[in-house]
């Protein structure tokens, strides 16, 4: 029997032929396309370490591993030789009839009614069928524990190329998979699967039969390679250049000729990704300065030697938040990246606003440390629709700050870039985003392993590594296990050493195979340590000298009406005619009200407002302006104040003479206080102000009791001590009467929440690399109650992206504008009259989901039918009698102005 070229592999987006029939790409051609791309991905994109993980696991040479990887990639869609796929009602047609329909009338392709009703996906079909044939050609197998051997591991890996691995197929099913899944078909269906298998093997010249095992590291790299190769081989406009004529028969000579076409096209496909050519330059020799070196100098002197002796690993830095700490972390990342042969960096922060504020410093490092072309993306909830367009918008907002690229230096990809997609964006050489982008790699979500693959070729920096609850902390520990197993270089930066930092050190050591002897982070501040990824060994280098500029933080706690206290604290600045202050309020609504009051009561005061419920573009522009206005040397004259919310507590580069804040946990207060400048900085805590609903009530109360009427803290040496003091188990024992009972009750509630969160993290996280036992299906296991909303819970409150549109025109002729009164900013639609998601990125506003619960908004069917906009709430604003743009929902009223979105609860 000869190969059947009528079996199709691709049809969507390929257009129609002269007779009006849907054009198709033969399955065998798509398989060879993918194999050819896999060869180029192996040679040009994978790092040396990624390739060695595969070759060592399979016990073959690098060249043999490359051929096997391409062969396996070429088999990924062999499950499309099945009845449900070939005869799917939405398949390619001519005159309303399926092109593959004639097959069903030929004797060898006869099938029963159960075959059409079989709901097995083509990915799962590939898994089920390949297990048996890999056994036949000599791959190691096991009847009792098939997942432990290569025949099953490769089949399961290929079945997961759609982003989800399938459960183990046991021996009795792999011997006759069509018995359980009649959709696979028998007769000619089975013969064609074998012919396609044999032809891919013959064309690629695969001769070796590996006898190794599939390690977790090899599985991640191979899954990423196969998935990426499939994505590239599926670019529709490229497929159209390789379509075969209808009479093409797929003979061996035809396939050999087509293989050369596929191989010549593959490099061009990879060039489209903007992924090639990026690396780390050799770090410069550290300067030998006089005197005792501080944190940056100590790390610069010792990290290269540690890496040279032990190989890449994880550097943990504990010091008060500052640009110096960020610079030290980035320099360490550059050393690790060069040693590991990494092809990029991902910088993770607790919040999107913090990510926005760090991009300038990350780019400054990239310009010095990265070689070749590099592309930068912004990755957080407000940018996820179109990461490249978010980065471009950020660049426009920051142009005045000197970080916009020169002409020709386009580090942000074009809007139509292949990378401009949520699932692909993490592949970009340079990413700045939120930590949930990392944590999703160890949650059983679609394409989680693709995230691990993208990170396995990079250096990962996690800033403010402690700044999440027990929920996120548990997932971070699991991520660090995987990072160590994949030999991903990591830099962690935290405010102070504590048990959570020790746990992160232990997790990385565990993933690297280190012993279980505890290794604690130095409790002094600043301090740092190193764990090598090769053995998991902990290393305690020479610690930095005391801070070059020690300072004293004066904390004053005041009672009384919050706004009156703010007025009193700002009065000296206004009277003096100079000085800079920051005022933190609990909610955007309170920040807006404070802004208006200060503007009215202090006409000579320069007041700036930034909060999270602003449009992306407005928030980015104001942050860019603040980096100049509130820089250490100051870009403004006269007294100035920034009114904001907790969103800015992790932002760097802003310096104030005075910081005012409502009640908050001590760690948050200290993060805000470190934005003070000078040897004596001051923090005023407004005791009567509202605390954020997201803050833990027990920690807020402990902080209040600890501070009393005020306290002086010597920075940085006393920082770990006061943090340990507020968290101490015996804290409540020092209290008496009602205060002791109140705190005990709050502590008990916090303990219950943390145990619940830790349990949820353990339940939700995928197994560690040492717990897989060969079964990749455990990385995709389904959970009852596993909903997308759980993802945002990693960092706290669930958030919905809102876009507000201004209604203009008369009924029947209405248009919707993204900017009030700016016709050029009309909501655009694509060729199918669907909204253009990328156009909305600058106008998105993050809003707590609890405030829009149950609201459907004004989205039409075209909007709701787009996956990218599924979670974007559209509000069509109407002008009220007093000239304000409003939207009234079931429980809340939304008012949009130049100061952001104000949400009021209806009476």
């Amino acid at each position: 029997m000869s190969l059947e070229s009528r079996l199709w592999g691709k049809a969507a987006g390929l257009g129609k032929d002269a007779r009006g029939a849907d054009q198709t790409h033969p399955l065998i051609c798509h398989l060879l396309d993918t194999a050819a791309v896999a060869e180029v991905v192996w040679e040009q994109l994978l790092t040396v370490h990624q390739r060695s993980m595969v070759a060592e696991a399979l016990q073959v040479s690098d060249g043999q591993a490359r051929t096997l990887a391409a062969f396996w990639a070429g088999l990924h869609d062999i499950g499309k030789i099945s009845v449900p796929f070939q005869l799917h009602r939405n398949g390619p047609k001519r005159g309303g009839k399926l092109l593959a329909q004639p097959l069903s009338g030929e004797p060898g392709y006869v099938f029963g009614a159960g075959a059409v009703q079989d709901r097995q996906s083509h990915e799962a079909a590939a898994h089920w069928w390949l297990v048996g044939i890999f056994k036949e050609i000599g791959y190691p197998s096991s009847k009792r524990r098939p997942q432990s051997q290569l025949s099953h591991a490769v089949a399961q890996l290929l079945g997961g190329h759609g982003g989800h691995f399938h459960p183990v197929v046991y021996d009795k099913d792999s011997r006759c998979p069509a018995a359980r899944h009649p959709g696979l078909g028998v007769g000619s269906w089975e013969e064609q699967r074998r012919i396609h298998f044999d032809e891919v093997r013959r064309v690629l010249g695969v001769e070796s039969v590996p006898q190794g095992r599939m390690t977790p590291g090899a599985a991640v790299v191979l899954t990423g390679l196969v998935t990426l190769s499939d994505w590239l081989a599926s670019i529709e406009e490229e497929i159209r250049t390789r379509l075969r004529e209808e009479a093409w028969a797929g003979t061996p000579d035809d396939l050999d000729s087509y293989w050369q076409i596929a191989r010549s096209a593959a490099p061009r496909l990879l060039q489209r990704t903007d992924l090639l050519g990026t690396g780390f330059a050799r770090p410069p020799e550290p300067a030998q300065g006089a005197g005792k070196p501080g944190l940056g100098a100590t790390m610069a002197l010792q990290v290269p030697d540690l890496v040279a002796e032990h190989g890449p690993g994880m550097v943990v830095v504990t010091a008060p938040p500052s640009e110096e700490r960020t610079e030290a972390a980035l320099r360490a990342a550059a050393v690790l990246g060069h040693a590991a042969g990494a092809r990029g960096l991902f910088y993770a922060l607790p919040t999107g606003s913090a990510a926005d504020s760090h991009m300038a410093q990350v780019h400054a490092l990239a310009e010095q440390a990265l070689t070749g072309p590099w592309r930068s993306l912004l990755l957080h909830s407000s940018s996820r629709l179109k990461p490249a367009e978010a980065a471009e918008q950020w660049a426009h907002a920051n142009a005045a700050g000197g970080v916009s690229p020169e002409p020709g230096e386009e580090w942000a990809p074009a809007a139509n870039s292949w990378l401009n997609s949520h699932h692909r964006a993490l592949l970009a050489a340079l990413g700045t985003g939120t930590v949930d982008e990392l944590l999703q790699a160890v949650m059983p979500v679609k394409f989680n392993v693709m995230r691990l693959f993208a990170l396995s070729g990079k250096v990962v920096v996690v800033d403010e590594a402690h700044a999440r609850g027990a929920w996120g902390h548990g997932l971070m520990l699991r991520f660090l296990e995987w990072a160590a197993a994949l030999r991903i270089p990591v830099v962690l930066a935290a405010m102070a050493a504590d048990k959570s930092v020790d746990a992160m050190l232990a997790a990385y050591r565990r993933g690297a195979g280190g012993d279980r002897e505890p290794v604690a982070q130095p409790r002094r501040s600043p301090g740092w340590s190193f764990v090598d990824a090769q053995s998991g060994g902990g290393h305690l280098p020479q610690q930095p000298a005391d801070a070059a500029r020690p300072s004293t933080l004066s904390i004053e706690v005041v009672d009384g009406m919050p706004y009156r206290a703010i007025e009193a604290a700002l009065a000296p600045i206004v009277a003096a005619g100079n000085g800079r202050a920051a005022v933190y309020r609990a909610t955007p609504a309170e920040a807006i009200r404070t802004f208006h009051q200060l503007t009215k009561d202090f006409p000579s005061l320069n007041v700036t407002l930034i909060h999270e419920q602003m449009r992306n573009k407005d928030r980015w522009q104001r942050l860019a302006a603040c980096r100049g206005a509130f820089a250490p040397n100051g870009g403004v004259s006269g007294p100035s104040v920034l009114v904001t919310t907790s969103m800015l507590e992790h932002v760097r580069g802003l310096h104030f003479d005075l910081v005012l804040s409502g009640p908050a946990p001590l760690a948050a207060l200290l993060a805000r206080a470190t934005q003070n400048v000078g040897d004596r900085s001051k923090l005023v805590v407004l005791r009567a102000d509202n605390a954020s609903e997201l803050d833990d009530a027990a920690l807020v109360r402990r902080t209040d009791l600890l501070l009393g009427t005020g306290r002086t803290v010597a920075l940085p040496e006393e920082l770990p001590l006061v943090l340990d003091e507020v968290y101490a188990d015996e804290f409540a024992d020092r209290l008496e009467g009602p205060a002791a009972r109140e705190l005990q009750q709050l502590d008990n509630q916090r303990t219950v929440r943390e145990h619940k969160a830790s349990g949820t993290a353990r339940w939700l996280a995928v197994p560690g690399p040492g717990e897989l036992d060969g079964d990749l299906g455990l990385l995709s296991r389904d959970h009852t109650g596993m909903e997308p909303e759980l993802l945002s819970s990693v960092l706290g409150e669930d958030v919905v992206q809102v876009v507000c549109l201004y209604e203009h025109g008369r009924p029947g002729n209405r248009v919707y504008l993204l900017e009030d009164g700016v016709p050029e900013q009309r909501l655009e639609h694509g060729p199918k009259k669907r909204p253009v998601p990328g156009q909305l990125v600058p106008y998105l506003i993050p809003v707590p989901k609890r405030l829009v619960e149950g609201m459907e908004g004004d989205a039409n069917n075209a909007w709701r039918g787009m996956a990218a906009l599924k979670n974007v709430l559209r509000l069509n604003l109407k002008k009220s009698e007093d000239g304000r743009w409003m939207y009234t929902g079931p429980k809340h009223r939304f008012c949009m102005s130049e100061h952001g979105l104000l949400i009021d609860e209806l009476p």
Side-chain angles (χ1 to χ4, degrees), residues 241-270:
T241 68
R242 302 191 299 277
L243 290 175
R244 303 293 89 191
E245 297 178 358
E246 189 175 358
W248 188 77
T251 65
D253 287 343
D254 290 338
L255 298 183
D256 290 338
S257 296
Y258 186 81
W259 175 236
Q260 298 309 314
I261 294 172
R263 293 184 93 180
S264 65
R268 183 177 70 249
L269 292 172
L270 195 58

Side-chain angles (χ1 to χ4, degrees), residues 55-71:
E56 290 171 8
L58 302 181
Q59 299 176 15
V60 296
S61 67
D62 183 86
Q64 290 173 319
R66 166 185 170 275
T67 301
L68 285 168
F71 172 47

Side-chain angles (χ1 to χ4, degrees), residues 314-400:
M314 182 170 77
V315 173
V316 181
V317 187
T318 44
S322 65
E323 290 179 288
E324 179 192 6
R325 190 188 75 180
T326 301
E327 182 72 14
L330 286 170
R331 292 297 170 193
V335 174
L336 293 170
H338 178 263
R343 47 159 299 275
L345 177 142
F346 183 74
Y347 199 103
L349 293 125
T351 66
S353 299
D356 298 339
S357 74
H358 278 68
M359 278 191 81
Q361 201 167 359
V362 173
H363 286 161
L365 170 92
E367 289 169 358
Q368 299 176 30
L370 294 183
T371 60
W374 48 277
R375 296 293 181 262
S376 174
L377 295 187
L378 186 59
L379 288 165
H380 54 69
S381 62
S382 294
S383 70
R384 197 169 285 142
L385 290 184
K386 292 288 181 181
E389 292 186 5
E392 287 183 323
Q393 185 67 39
W394 178 91
H396 291 313
N398 285 267

Side-chain angles (χ1 to χ4, degrees), residues 847-883:
V847 170
K849 187 173 182 179
R850 57 185 165 78
L851 299 183
V852 294
E853 201 76 57
M855 286 181 59
E856 294 187 5
D858 298 308
N860 53 28
N861 290 334
W863 184 293
R864 292 191 177 98
M866 296 185 68
L869 299 180
K870 184 171 61 176
N871 295 318
V872 176
L873 183 68
R874 169 178 168 169
L875 303 182
N876 293 343
L877 305 178
K878 293 180 171 59
K879 210 164 193 176
S880 64
E881 294 181 358
D882 60 2

Side-chain angles (χ1 to χ4, degrees), residues 499-577:
K499 292 179 180 178
S500 68
V501 174
D502 293 344
M504 287 186 268
L505 272 169
Y508 196 85
R509 294 188 69 216
R510 186 163 58 250
D515 58 46
R516 295 188 175 273
E517 288 295 319
V519 175
Q521 178 74 1
R523 288 315 194 246
R524 70 191 306 278
S525 183
W528 69 288
S529 64
F530 176 74
V531 175
D532 72 82
Q534 192 65 37
S535 67
H539 308 277
L540 191 60
Q542 178 185 345
Q543 296 301 295
D546 292 337
R549 290 189 59 189
S551 62
T552 301
L553 171 63
S554 173
I555 304 175
E556 180 184 353
V557 180
V558 297
D559 295 300
M561 295 292 291
Y563 183 71
R564 296 302 173 203
I566 293 172
E567 278 187 316
L570 294 179
I573 292 178
V574 176

Side-chain angles (χ1 to χ4, degrees), residues 794-873:
V794 172
L795 291 178
E797 190 169 29
D798 197 4
V799 168
V800 172
Q801 298 298 328
V802 172
V803 62
C804 293
L805 300 180
Y806 297 87
E807 187 180 77
H808 279 264
R810 298 177 180 177
N813 192 31
R814 288 193 181 99
V815 296
Y816 292 96
L817 308 181
L818 289 160
E819 301 255 21
D820 179 23
V822 184
E824 294 79 12
Q825 291 303 322
R826 178 176 175 175
L827 183 65
E828 295 177 2
H829 293 83
K832 296 182 180 180
K833 295 187 177 181
R834 290 184 169 187
V836 180
Q839 184 194 17
L840 303 180
V841 170
Y843 302 92
L844 295 178
I845 304 169
V847 170
K849 187 173 182 179
R850 57 185 165 78
L851 299 183
V852 294
E853 201 76 57
M855 286 181 59
E856 294 187 5
D858 298 308
N860 53 28
N861 290 334
W863 184 293
R864 292 191 177 98
M866 296 185 68
L869 299 180
K870 184 171 61 176
N871 295 318
V872 176
L873 183 68

